[in-house]
Structures are given as structure tokens and as C-alpha cells.
Amino acid sequence: MPKTKPPAGPHGNRLLARLPPEDYKRLLPRLKLVPLEFKQILYEARSPMDYAYFPSRGVVSALAVMNDGRAIEVATVGNEGMVGLPLLVGAKTAANRAMVQVPGEALRMGEDVLREEVNRDSHLRRLLIRYHSAFLVQVSQAVACNGLHSIHQRCCRWLLMTHDRAQSDVFPMTHELLAELLGVRRSSVSEVLQQIQEEELIHYSRGKFTVLDREGLKIGACECYTRINEEFERVFGAS
């Protein structure tokens, strides 16, 4: 039977873990632990947002969606953050599609609860403002990366960022889905992944990636990976 009660302490989500214990205890009855299923859509772009999600395990992709249905990843969220940031500034509809990239679980908070926390200038509101600042750097860096860097560099960056957030060396992914996330042809992704696998940086089998050599991936990645991490460390400290 799936879990429905949140843990006694916010050990999974690093953002909630920064709250004073009394604040988390106050919010505890209004949080619900929910599963994140592979390729689950939490919101469609331009659709209403009823909840915010604080992942404790798993990875969620934010995708910019075009009118013709094409999409490209502009950010990822793991246990360092929250899905549903537009709610922080009073928006009621999603700017992007939010899709689960790596399965896990999250603490879910109702839109009305988050709005109350924002209006009362709580510790959570101040934390989310700081997170929002770092998240915007991730989005802007992704835009630059998608336009300026090679598919090989972008694949290495994606693998590193997903590895960081998945909290595991092994995570599910198909060539088709990765091509969609990167906004490129499947054949281009397959060619690059074959090269990365031959370099023994990863292993791919039956829809799963296994990271074998992080340092090698860092060498192959562009500066965007380091830039995004540096911003999160600047805003929150290297914890």
C-alpha cells in the first residue's frame, strides 16, 4: 500500500530541511507524501496548478512546449527544490509542462496552503525566493546551452544533473525521451550515447542508464553544469 503520510522530519527534501523545526512541524499536517511515476505529468503547460511538489526522491523536468507539440527541457528539479514555483508570485497556471523524469516521491502541498505561507511572509516564503533566484539561473543557462553547445556536451551535462538529483547511479531513460528533452533527433542522441558508452562513462541497457565515471562526464560537459551548481551553492551554501 503506498505511503500517504509525510515523514516526521523533512529528511528527503533539502529545501524543506532548511526550515526551522517548528515551521516544518506546523506544516506537517498539510503535507501529503505522494509517488512520482515515470513520465507522469504533474502539470501541462498553461494549465491550472493545484499543488506544489517538494521531491524527496526522483527528478522532474520542466519542459517548454510549442504549439506544434514539440518540447525541450529548460530545467530539472530534484530534492534540492520545489515544482510549482509560479505559485510563489501568485500565478495560477503552469509556465511549463512538469514531467517526472526519474520516479520517486514528493511531499505535496496544496496551492491554498502555499499561498497562505507566502502572504504571511514565512520562512518558507523566504527560502522559496532564494530558490527561485537559483532556478532562474538554471533556466537561463539551459537556454544558452541548448543554443550554443554540442549535443555531446549537453548529454554529459544532462547525465550529471540527473545523476545528482536521482540519488542513484542507475535511472530509467529511453533514447526517444532523452532526444525529446534535448530537442534533437533520436539518431543524434543514439550516436552520442554510443560514443559516451564506448568511453566507459556510462552503460545503457534496457531503458536504463548507469553512470560509471562522473569525472569523465564532467570533462565532456560544458561549463553550464558547473555554473548552475555554483549558483545553488552561492544562494544556499555548499550543503
Side-chain angles (χ1 to χ4, degrees), residues 152 156 159 175 189-206 208-210 212 217:
H152 185 281
C156 287
L159 286 163
H175 287 206
V189 164
S190 296
E191 181 179 340
V192 168
L193 289 176
Q194 180 63 33
Q195 179 185 348
I196 295 174
Q197 184 162 245
E198 289 173 356
E199 295 169 351
E200 298 185 346
L201 305 182
I202 64 166
H203 176 69
Y204 178 79
S205 178
R206 297 181 180 179
K208 291 184 178 180
F209 286 133
T210 302
L212 303 176
L217 287 173

Side-chain angles (χ1 to χ4, degrees), residues 23 26 117-127:
D23 279 49
R26 177 176 54 80
E117 292 298 306
V118 171
N119 290 340
R120 71 198 301 269
D121 192 26
S122 64
H123 285 284
L124 179 60
R125 174 183 178 273
R126 293 192 287 275
L127 269 176

Side-chain angles (χ1 to χ4, degrees), residues 141-142 144-145 149 157 161 221-229:
Q141 202 70 35
C145 188
H149 295 145
R157 173 184 65 83
M161 293 187 67
C222 50
E223 71 264 29
C224 297
Y225 174 72
T226 300
R227 173 73 183 89
I228 292 167
N229 280 354

Side-chain angles (χ1 to χ4, degrees), residues 38-60:
F38 182 49
K39 298 182 72 173
Q40 177 185 353
I41 304 297
L42 302 181
Y43 324 115
E44 275 293 355
R46 298 174 289 278
S47 70
M49 294 183 295
D50 297 323
Y51 301 101
Y53 296 84
F54 296 85
S56 54
R57 291 189 301 107
V59 185
V60 179

Side-chain angles (χ1 to χ4, degrees), residues 160 163-164 201 211-219 225:
L160 285 166
H163 187 226
D164 289 343
L201 305 182
V211 174
L212 303 176
D213 184 353
R214 275 187 61 85
E215 293 306 312
L217 287 173
K218 287 180 181 179
I219 292 171
Y225 174 72

Side-chain angles (χ1 to χ4, degrees), residues 122-191:
S122 64
H123 285 284
L124 179 60
R125 174 183 178 273
R126 293 192 287 275
L127 269 176
L128 290 177
I129 288 173
R130 291 164 62 194
Y131 174 67
H132 187 250
S133 171
F135 185 83
L136 288 179
V137 169
Q138 183 187 171
V139 172
S140 63
Q141 202 70 35
V143 171
C145 188
N146 290 337
L148 299 175
H149 295 145
S150 69
I151 298 174
H152 185 281
Q153 290 173 311
R154 292 167 60 199
C155 273
C156 287
R157 173 184 65 83
W158 182 90
L159 286 163
L160 285 166
M161 293 187 67
T162 301
H163 187 226
D164 289 343
R165 290 157 175 77
Q167 305 173 62
S168 172
D169 291 336
V170 183
F171 45 85
M173 182 56 56
T174 64
H175 287 206
E176 290 85 357
L177 181 54
L178 181 53
E180 178 184 349
L181 295 175
L182 296 179
V184 299
R185 294 180 301 171
R186 183 194 182 282
S187 58
S188 299
V189 164
S190 296
E191 181 179 340

